[in-house]
Amino acid sequence: MLLIGNTYWAVACAAGMAAAALARALIQAQAEAAGIAAADAAKRGVRAALFPHLLRSRAQERRMLGEELASAVDQVSALTGYHGRFVPLRRAAAVTPLLIAALVALASPVSAAILVATLIPFAIGMALAGGAARRAADAQVAALSRLSGLFVDRIRALPVILAFGAEDRVTRQLDTAVQGVADRTYAVLRIAFLSSGTLEFFSAISVALVAVYCGFALLGLLPFPVPETLDLPRAFFALALAPEFYLPLRRLAAAYHEKQLGEAAAAAIAERSGAAAPEPAQTAVPPAASLSVEAAVIDYGGGRSVGPFELAVRPGELVALTGATGSGKTSLLHMIIGLAPLASGTLRLGDAPVRPGAVNDAIGWAGQHAALLPGTIARNIALADPAASQDAIAAAAERVGLGPLLAARGDGLDTWIDPRGSGLSGGERRRIALARAVLSGRPLLLLDEPTADLDPATAAAIVALLTGLAREHGVLAATHDPALIAAATRTVAIA
């Protein structure tokens, strides 16, 4: 009954339009899915290049933790819209308008010429807006990174801020940073609105010119001759397709802000990942190599520096690093493993200069604050050697005096601990870190206050352990413990 009164060609055209609409919807859905997959793949590649560099270099480049978090999270996330939406839409915008113009030209070459002519000044305007948009987006990404750095840094230092009554000063700092982000965001939005307005203007002009031309041509009122004879079906076809000419560009304009942020984020990530200057590979360490520091100055920026330092650690000796609290003992150890910035001086392995952190594969480390993971004590000790057997882990734990701790807990090495080490004393946490260094079997051991927070009997056992380890390893221990200083092969005092 629905087909009564309709001709065959009218029904065929309606069916064709319905099929075209369905095909269009399916293609758009497939393009969106492909864009998301491409964005995920791009972000995986970026993370693989960026994360190792962030983990190695943050302290040396004097950037705040929040700035690195912004690089690792916010800037990588900004690539989703760029790769997932803008790039597919850019491809469509490069091809679809020309295809639409070609189809319109089959019915009305003059209408097609009108569409293409309005595209040329639009492209020029968008190119001019694009340069300003890139500069504004770069400034916005930098401001967001700075704000993230300030916020995380101040949250971490909140107890100190409250203790010194510095709330007002910190609030003003954050307010200034927030205002900077707002100003730069407004600049980006102004350009985005300008580009959208430019697109809408030329889109409206294009459709209006085609409509005026078709109407006047059908009425025979054109004041100039045209090389075509236009009838109603051809005019209707051209006019129906005219809005489609700018539709891909309008969708592209809607994603233009994501393009700005994505390109700015990609540039910032490339700078952080060291694409222009890749870091040297890790340096292999011979078992008998000595490690020496010559005229080393550590500079944290803002006028905060320590040094110069001179020391050497040779295989078969225990070197005690002594000095008053705040003299730079921990900073020196951190510099060797790449966690503090070396401003001048030289770190040498044997006779060859090496960068800080380059010989970490040969260093067993036990700092003042043991990094713990949620899991068993065995798993935390095995961080130094994930392939170690349970017997080797148990032997390392016993050597550093964890026997009484394990005996007091029914699960022994399988005792579960949280990242805070709840239920463990400071000395027990230090011994877990020391057990890692022992288990690593590496030729150089760097220890920061290894006997602090220990009872006299346990401290004496640790001193005896380090004396024994020094027969096969080079051991450098920062300490205030007179017993450890007395047992050392050599003492290096920092003024």
Side-chain angles (χ1 to χ4, degrees):
M1 296 295 294
L2 293 175
L3 300 180
I4 293 177
N6 291 308
T7 66
Y8 172 79
W9 286 109
V11 174
C13 289
M17 292 176 64
L22 179 60
R24 179 179 185 175
L26 292 175
I27 291 172
Q28 288 178 347
Q30 184 63 32
E32 183 176 354
I36 292 174
D40 290 342
K43 290 191 292 184
R44 283 195 297 271
V46 167
R47 291 190 185 104
L50 175 64
F51 285 10
H53 182 82
L54 293 181
L55 292 173
R56 287 194 301 267
S57 67
R58 184 184 72 82
Q60 296 185 51
E61 297 185 14
R62 306 175 192 166
R63 284 169 57 95
M64 292 180 288
L65 176 60
E67 292 180 282
E68 303 296 63
L69 287 174
S71 296
V73 179
D74 298 339
Q75 292 172 7
V76 173
S77 296
L79 300 177
T80 301
Y82 177 76
H83 289 283
R85 289 195 62 211
F86 178 79
V87 172
L89 289 174
R90 182 175 61 186
R91 297 193 189 104
V95 176
T96 306
L98 299 179
L99 178 61
I100 296 295
L103 292 174
V104 171
L106 297 176
S108 173
V110 175
S111 297
I114 292 173
L115 294 175
V116 174
T118 59
L119 186 63
I120 296 173
F122 165 74
I124 296 174
M126 292 299 292
L128 294 175
R134 176 58 185 273
R135 291 189 294 272
D138 287 343
Q140 185 192 27
V141 167
L144 284 170
S145 178
R146 179 66 179 173
L147 176 60
S148 297
L150 280 173
F151 183 75
V152 173
D153 182 72
R154 298 314 183 255
I155 290 296
R156 295 176 70 199
L158 190 57
V160 177
I161 293 170
L162 295 176
F164 285 91
E167 301 94 329
D168 291 340
R169 178 182 177 185
V170 171
T171 300
R172 288 194 300 271
Q173 288 178 333
L174 291 174
D175 183 65
T176 301
V178 169
Q179 188 59 48
V181 171
D183 292 341
R184 287 161 175 80
T185 301
Y186 291 148
V188 172
L189 291 177
R190 280 195 296 269
I191 297 171
F193 289 142
L194 175 62
S195 61
S196 296
T198 303
L199 175 62
E200 294 298 332
F201 172 78
F202 283 103
S203 176
I205 288 292
S206 174
V207 175
L209 288 176
V210 171
V212 169
Y213 165 74
C214 291
F216 277 53
L218 291 174
L219 294 174
L221 299 177
L222 286 175
F224 49 84
V226 292
E228 64 181 5
T229 301
L230 203 61
D231 55 19
L232 181 59
R234 292 176 181 273
F236 181 81
F237 181 81
L239 191 57
L241 285 184
E244 297 292 323
F245 181 78
Y246 272 94
L247 181 60
L249 297 174
R250 296 173 70 179
R251 289 177 175 165
L252 185 67
Y256 197 68
H257 181 62
E258 294 172 333
K259 178 252 189 187
Q260 296 167 344
L261 292 181
E263 289 185 344
I269 289 170
E271 180 181 353
R272 292 299 302 123
S273 61
E279 295 192 1
Q282 293 290 92
T283 302
V285 181
S290 62
L291 188 69
S292 59
V293 176
E294 301 173 359
V297 175
I298 299 167
D299 185 3
Y300 292 102
R304 299 174 300 152
S305 64
V306 289
F309 300 110
E310 298 277 351
L311 68 82
V313 185
R314 303 178 184 86
E317 65 178 7
L318 169 59
V319 178
L321 187 61
T322 66
T325 300
S327 59
K329 299 186 300 296
T330 298
S331 291
L332 178 55
L333 297 182
H334 282 177
M335 181 277 292
I336 293 173
I337 62 175
L339 294 181
L342 178 63
S344 62
T346 306
L347 178 66
R348 292 186 180 277
L349 178 67
D351 295 328
V354 294
R355 62 176 175 84
V359 294
N360 285 354
D361 285 347
I363 292 176
W365 167 256
Q368 291 190 37
H369 306 287
L372 302 176
L373 298 179
T376 64
I377 292 178
R379 182 191 175 205
N380 273 273
I381 295 175
L383 290 175
D385 184 5
S389 66
Q390 195 75 2
D391 289 343
I393 296 171
E398 191 65 34
R399 292 183 72 182
V400 300
L402 283 172
L405 166 67
L406 301 177
R409 290 164 171 79
D411 293 331
L413 284 171
D414 293 327
T415 300
W416 190 273
I417 58 177
D418 61 26
R420 295 179 178 271
S422 302
L424 301 177
S425 68
E428 289 168 338
R429 289 192 288 270
R430 287 178 186 273
R431 275 177 277 176
I432 290 176
L434 187 57
R436 289 176 187 159
V438 171
L439 180 66
S440 71
R442 294 170 180 174
L444 299 171
L445 301 181
L446 268 58
L447 316 173
D448 197 357
E449 299 288 357
T451 58
D453 301 324
L454 301 179
D455 59 84
T458 304
I462 293 299
V463 171
L465 169 64
L466 297 181
T467 303
L469 289 172
R471 299 190 185 100
E472 302 173 355
H473 304 262
V475 181
L476 175 62
T479 184
H480 291 98
D481 185 356
L484 179 55
I485 294 172
T489 309
R490 210 159 30 83
T491 299
V492 176
I494 296 178

